[in-house]
Amino acid sequence: MDKDSKKFYITTPIYYVNARPHIGHAYTTIVCDAIARRKRMLGVDTYFVTGTDEHGQKIERSAAARSMTPKQLADEVSASFHELWDRMGITYDGFMRTTDPRHERGVQQIFRVLRDKGYIYKGSYTGQYCVSDELYVTEGGPGTPCPECGRPTETVTEENYFFKLSAFEDKLLKFFDENPDFIRPETRRNEVLSFVRGGLRDLSVSRGNVKWGIPVPDDPEQVMYVWLDALCTYMTAVGYGAIDKQGQDLFARYWPADVHMIGKEIVRFHCVYWPAFLMAAGLPLPKNIMAHGWLLFEQDKMSKSRGNIVRTETILDVLGADPLRYFLLREVMFGQDGSFSFDALVQRFNSDLANGLGNLASRTLTMITRYFRGEVPYPSATASRTPSDNAIAKLADETIASFNELFEQYQFSKALEAAWGLVSAVDKYIVENEPWALGDKQDDQSRARLATVLYTTAEALRIVTALVHPVLPESTAKIWSQLGLGDIRKFPLSGLKWGQLQVGTKLGKIEPVFPRADKSAVERMQTLETERNAPAAAEAAAATATQSATVTAKGAQGAPQAAIATDPVTPAITLPPGVPAPSTEIITVDDFAKIDLRVAQVKFAEKVKGADRLLRLEVDLGYEQRQIVAGIALAYTPEQLIGRKIVIIANLAPRKLKGLESKGMLLAASLQDGAPVLASFLEEVPVGAKLK
Ligand code: MSP
């Protein structure tokens, strides 16, 4: 970051609207939000932009596949990004959609400028195009895989407008040379350098056979290439192309951007095309492009097409936004790929937030309340001081310095590690000084010592809280007000140093900030995730089920096939191997009505000791929770079942299995080898629903 800059403008990529947001998108947005919040606390005039990328063939096709117009799809998905960021308390200043008329005007303006300056010409293009990445592929023929995503490219033959990218090869290399920090980290910079050194071809910047886009000025048969359209958002979001003074002032105030934060897969567009467009238009270039790594789930990049996404809402529902923010910034080495798992998230939450910062806050504040009527006590300057107090004060000042430096270098994980170094040192200090023991004594010396110890812990708590506020905005705001310090967002971070906590400060109402999460938090998140992804999974399952339907009917305990032929009532039918004969006993509707079939959700599952095949389940019927013992342990693990919705016969007479009472029976198809497959639903069903 440019430390001397008086203003700071930061952007996320603008996200495609063919997929709903997942934690990969949230990652970039959270990083930008933390940086922006910190800049504001440092008193810097900050502007933070995000938005949605809504045009192009990819969106056109996604919409068609869902029988929607591209605009309907864009409206729906853009709103879901907007809502999610609001729910998470993301402090964006601008949210730009590429379908916004202000943006469209700006993009047409830049196109005119490029054309008037002689950098655009009409030519014909035959080549390969990857619709998924909206990327022209330099070499290859029909079906050549896209170098970015590996999907087959399509051959495109069109009369297009071209941008003279080839004219910028040397200019770009010179610029990279003069601005070594333009592309970060170093690995990405090297990739870009070798790409540009390999030679640049002119770039097609319009499409003739795509309708969903911004029309090229004076040639409405052509629409703008999506990447030209999308990149310009960074400028139109701060008023480029505005006809009103307010928009023009905004542009003058914030452009060029200080940081474009992006994922590593879109480096070429940002580090080659974008600076070349800007150079050609005679506009200032952004100061820095920062490309981070990918969030992986099960070793693969989390993405909709791979079907391995985790939705942010799932984590918000169970733990809230702060734990996710902390986890992503602490766990992932910024710039590198990082893994996500619910287990790791909950572990971090418990160890660093509930047991770490949360515990420090509650211990400190509770003891000040108990021993000093909720007012910050006076730390003795002489008599009751020990070297351990001074050591904490010194460490706190060092932590401020190192946190600041590391954060400015985007080393979020190390910065947080430094802050938590102070948290653990204070924990140790508390244990060693035993304030609870001092509190039991009434003599003056013990009182003075207790005051010093509690002042020291409270002051260290204040410092950590202020430092990590940009990462944990909601919870630190609570701790801050419990410390009696008001609105943390107004705190001038640049002046933070040891000793500012005023003696006599009256604490606010004390409440736990990070209630410990138990194992059920992981289970709840997994359940929510399964439910959220159920429609897609169900489609896939339905396809598989149809293919294998012949082997899934009851087999093991069914009547042997030979019996069918001798049964006088049953017409001679041929059954697939292992499929039992249909029942010959006819029942009435009234008979069936006696069976109370219900949807139940498995809340808990465990193996039954001494019985290989049995699982003990606790299921929720909406109106009651009950125990069922089922012979499905060879087919399902307890983990697979927790959270799952199943069907049970709710009014079956209870019976005992291995000494355990089973109140009901679950429904499953039984395969030829006797393996059960649980009955389930393709649509969402409420717990307790009756089957009729
Ligand atoms: N619309 C383009 C960007 C245009 S910017 C002018 C685009 N959109 S996207 O919806 O695919 O978003 C990509 C960005 O989302 C990544 O560059 C990254 O910032 C974020 N991420 C999406 N999935 C991610 C991970 N699995 N891991 C980390 N970040 C991820 O590309």
Side-chain angles (χ1 to χ4, degrees):
M1 279 181 230
D2 183 352
K3 281 188 195 148
D4 307 323
S5 176
K6 296 229 166 13
K7 66 89 187 165
F8 184 75
Y9 174 31
I10 185 167
T11 63
T12 71
I14 49 160
Y15 304 112
Y16 284 132
V17 290
N18 66 322
R20 279 172 197 286
H22 55 72
I23 63 166
H25 304 113
Y27 179 51
T28 320
T29 310
I30 287 169
V31 168
C32 290
D33 186 62
I35 297 173
R37 281 176 184 270
R38 188 177 143 84
K39 284 284 174 190
R40 291 190 199 105
M41 275 180 100
L42 288 167
V44 178
D45 175 14
T46 302
Y47 208 78
F48 167 21
V49 159
T50 186
T52 42
D53 190 352
E54 307 183 6
H55 289 131
Q57 204 166 0
K58 177 178 163 124
I59 310 301
E60 209 170 45
R61 288 191 186 172
S62 291
R66 293 156 79 169
S67 310
M68 294 168 102
T69 65
K71 183 68 167 72
Q72 282 169 334
L73 177 68
D75 285 347
E76 192 183 304
V77 181
S78 180
S80 70
F81 274 96
H82 217 139
E83 280 157 20
L84 177 64
W85 303 149
D86 286 345
R87 184 173 169 202
M88 291 175 72
I90 300 294
T91 58
Y92 59 86
D93 299 287
F95 186 105
M96 184 51 99
R97 301 179 55 180
T98 56
T99 48
D100 187 314
R102 290 170 302 170
H103 170 77
E104 299 193 346
R105 195 172 45 236
V107 177
Q108 291 188 324
Q109 178 169 322
I110 201 161
F111 194 91
R112 281 197 196 93
V113 172
L114 295 174
R115 194 179 53 193
D116 294 350
K117 289 188 181 255
Y119 288 108
I120 285 195
Y121 63 93
K122 204 162 188 181
S124 99
Y125 173 82
T126 296
Q128 298 308 117
Y129 191 74
C130 171
V131 177
S132 177
D133 285 314
E134 300 278 14
L135 170 76
Y136 292 95
V137 176
T138 345
E139 261 132 41
T144 301
C146 164
E148 296 295 323
C149 67
R151 292 185 184 85
T153 52
E154 296 179 15
T155 308
V156 176
T157 301
E158 283 178 354
E159 169 110 312
N160 294 146
Y161 288 95
F162 280 80
F163 172 71
K164 284 188 187 165
L165 184 64
S166 55
F168 290 88
E169 217 172 283
D170 293 339
K171 291 189 185 105
L172 283 170
L173 289 172
K174 182 165 176 282
F175 177 78
F176 298 149
D177 194 45
E178 288 166 356
N179 298 275
D181 281 342
F182 179 65
I183 306 167
R184 282 169 56 192
E186 193 66 23
T187 42
R188 305 294 157 225
R189 177 183 149 83
N190 293 338
E191 273 170 27
V192 173
L193 288 180
S194 69
F195 178 77
V196 177
R197 282 186 192 128
L200 295 177
R201 291 215 213 159
D202 289 351
L203 178 72
S204 170
V205 284
S206 72
R207 297 291 311 268
N209 61 357
V210 176
K211 294 274 157 297
W212 180 236
I214 302 177
V216 166
D218 313 316
D219 191 349
E221 289 304 300
Q222 297 268 328
V223 299
M224 225 74 82
Y225 173 42
V226 268
W227 273 100
L228 172 60
D229 170 351
L231 288 160
C232 288
T233 315
Y234 298 140
M235 292 202 302
T236 58
V238 286
Y240 178 80
I243 35 182
D244 58 306
K245 179 148 183 346
Q246 208 187 353
Q248 291 162 359
D249 287 350
L250 197 68
F251 188 66
R253 179 163 160 194
Y254 290 113
W255 191 257
D258 292 79
V259 188
H260 292 318
M261 188 67 69
I262 60 170
K264 66 182 180 183
E265 78 290 352
I266 50 177
V267 163
R268 188 196 309 174
F269 304 100
H270 284 78
C271 302
V272 181
Y273 301 169
W274 184 225
F277 293 150
L278 292 170
M279 282 175 178
L283 287 159
L285 269 55
K287 294 191 189 141
N288 172 235
I289 315 265
M290 178 72 210
H292 62 67
W294 286 339
L295 273 193
L296 309 175
F297 195 69
E298 286 153 6
Q299 303 312 314
D300 219 344
K301 182 189 178 212
M302 202 177 281
S303 76
K304 185 195 164 204
S305 52
R306 290 180 177 88
N308 64 346
I309 51 171
V310 173
R311 299 230 181 265
T312 315
E313 291 85 344
T314 296
I315 299 159
L316 302 185
D317 287 349
V318 176
L319 294 177
D322 276 10
L324 175 65
R325 295 171 70 102
Y326 179 78
F327 175 85
L328 292 175
L329 291 181
R330 175 67 182 84
E331 197 85 3
V332 181
M333 286 295 150
F334 193 67
Q336 298 170 21
D337 292 350
S339 288
F340 177 86
S341 79
F342 290 123
D343 277 319
L345 171 67
V346 168
Q347 246 176 48
R348 268 279 170 211
F349 174 80
N350 281 333
S351 68
D352 295 11
L353 300 181
N355 296 346
L357 182 61
N359 192 31
L360 174 64
S362 84
R363 274 165 132 187
T364 308
L365 299 168
T366 315
M367 285 192 280
I368 294 180
T369 305
R370 184 176 313 149
Y371 302 127
F372 294 97
R373 298 178 319 281
E375 282 182 20
V376 173
Y378 175 75
S380 164
T382 51
S384 68
R385 279 197 92 75
T386 71
S388 67
D389 313 326
N390 297 339
I392 292 290
K394 184 162 169 277
L395 179 66
D397 276 334
E398 285 164 5
T399 304
I400 296 171
S402 53
F403 185 96
N404 287 344
E405 198 181 326
L406 291 162
F407 200 102
E408 293 295 319
Q409 296 164 354
Y410 302 142
Q411 298 200 43
F412 307 115
S413 180
K414 290 208 171 120
L416 291 169
E417 201 181 335
W420 261 258
L422 180 59
V423 172
S424 359
V426 179
D427 271 344
K428 201 160 154 254
Y429 169 84
I430 295 177
V431 171
E432 282 167 7
N433 284 284
E434 299 188 317
W436 44 87
L438 293 168
D440 285 344
K441 300 181 187 150
Q442 296 305 323
D443 61 292
D444 286 354
Q445 208 184 340
S446 300
R447 285 292 291 171
R449 180 75 202 126
L450 180 62
T452 303
V453 171
L454 290 183
Y455 180 90
T456 305
T457 56
E459 177 56 343
L461 174 66
R462 182 189 72 95
I463 284 174
V464 173
T465 305
L467 282 177
V468 304
H469 173 66
V471 178
L472 291 161
E474 215 179 301
S475 31
T476 50
K478 286 187 194 153
I479 299 176
W480 199 256
S481 80
Q482 293 182 24
L483 271 166
L485 298 172
D487 184 354
I488 192 167
R489 287 168 307 172
K490 304 214 172 100
F491 177 74
L493 189 63
S494 48
L496 182 67
K497 62 171 200 271
W498 183 268
Q500 289 166 325
L501 181 60
Q502 295 289 316
V503 170
T505 303
K506 257 206 113 16
L507 301 190
K509 189 162 172 267
I510 300 164
E511 276 160 9
V513 179
F514 302 110
R516 233 189 109 78
D518 57 20
K519 201 166 161 275
S520 72
V522 172
E523 285 150 13
R524 269 180 290 149
M525 286 189 279
Q526 279 163 344
T527 308
L528 284 171
E529 204 48 41
T530 316
E531 286 172 3
R532 287 204 161 99
N533 294 325
E539 275 168 33
T544 329
T546 330
Q547 288 157 17
S548 58
T550 47
V551 291
T552 53
K554 195 163 173 70
Q557 310 103 315
Q561 234 179 311
I564 300 167
T566 57
D567 184 335
V569 193
T570 314
I573 51 167
T574 318
L575 288 164
V579 173
S583 175
T584 54
E585 193 185 342
I586 301 300
I587 61 163
T588 64
V589 169
D590 290 343
D591 289 333
F592 176 68
K594 285 187 197 158
I595 307 172
D596 194 11
L597 291 171
R598 297 272 175 171
V599 176
Q601 188 171 34
V602 181
K603 291 289 173 192
F604 178 78
E606 64 175 8
K607 294 200 162 163
V608 174
K609 275 205 191 100
D612 288 346
R613 290 172 180 272
L614 293 184
L615 286 183
R616 186 181 80 78
L617 312 178
E618 273 168 33
V619 302
D620 183 11
L621 277 160
Y623 52 88
E624 78 171 74
Q625 192 134 341
R626 59 163 81 169
Q627 171 172 294
I628 286 187
V629 181
I632 54 172
L634 298 182
Y636 293 92
T637 62
E639 290 69 29
Q640 283 174 307
L641 292 174
I642 292 170
R644 186 164 170 164
K645 287 184 181 158
I646 57 172
V647 179
I648 69 161
I649 306 175
N651 60 341
L652 196 70
R655 61 182 182 143
K656 280 203 165 172
L657 291 160
K658 283 272 165 192
L660 297 167
E661 184 175 53
S662 180
K663 285 181 76 183
M665 192 172 114
L666 51 73
L667 259 55
S670 182
L671 304 195
Q672 195 175 356
D673 58 1
V677 175
L678 288 172
S680 54
F681 296 89
L682 296 182
E683 283 87 13
E684 188 49 43
V685 280
V687 168
K690 191 168 161 62
L691 281 81
K692 339 191 239 192

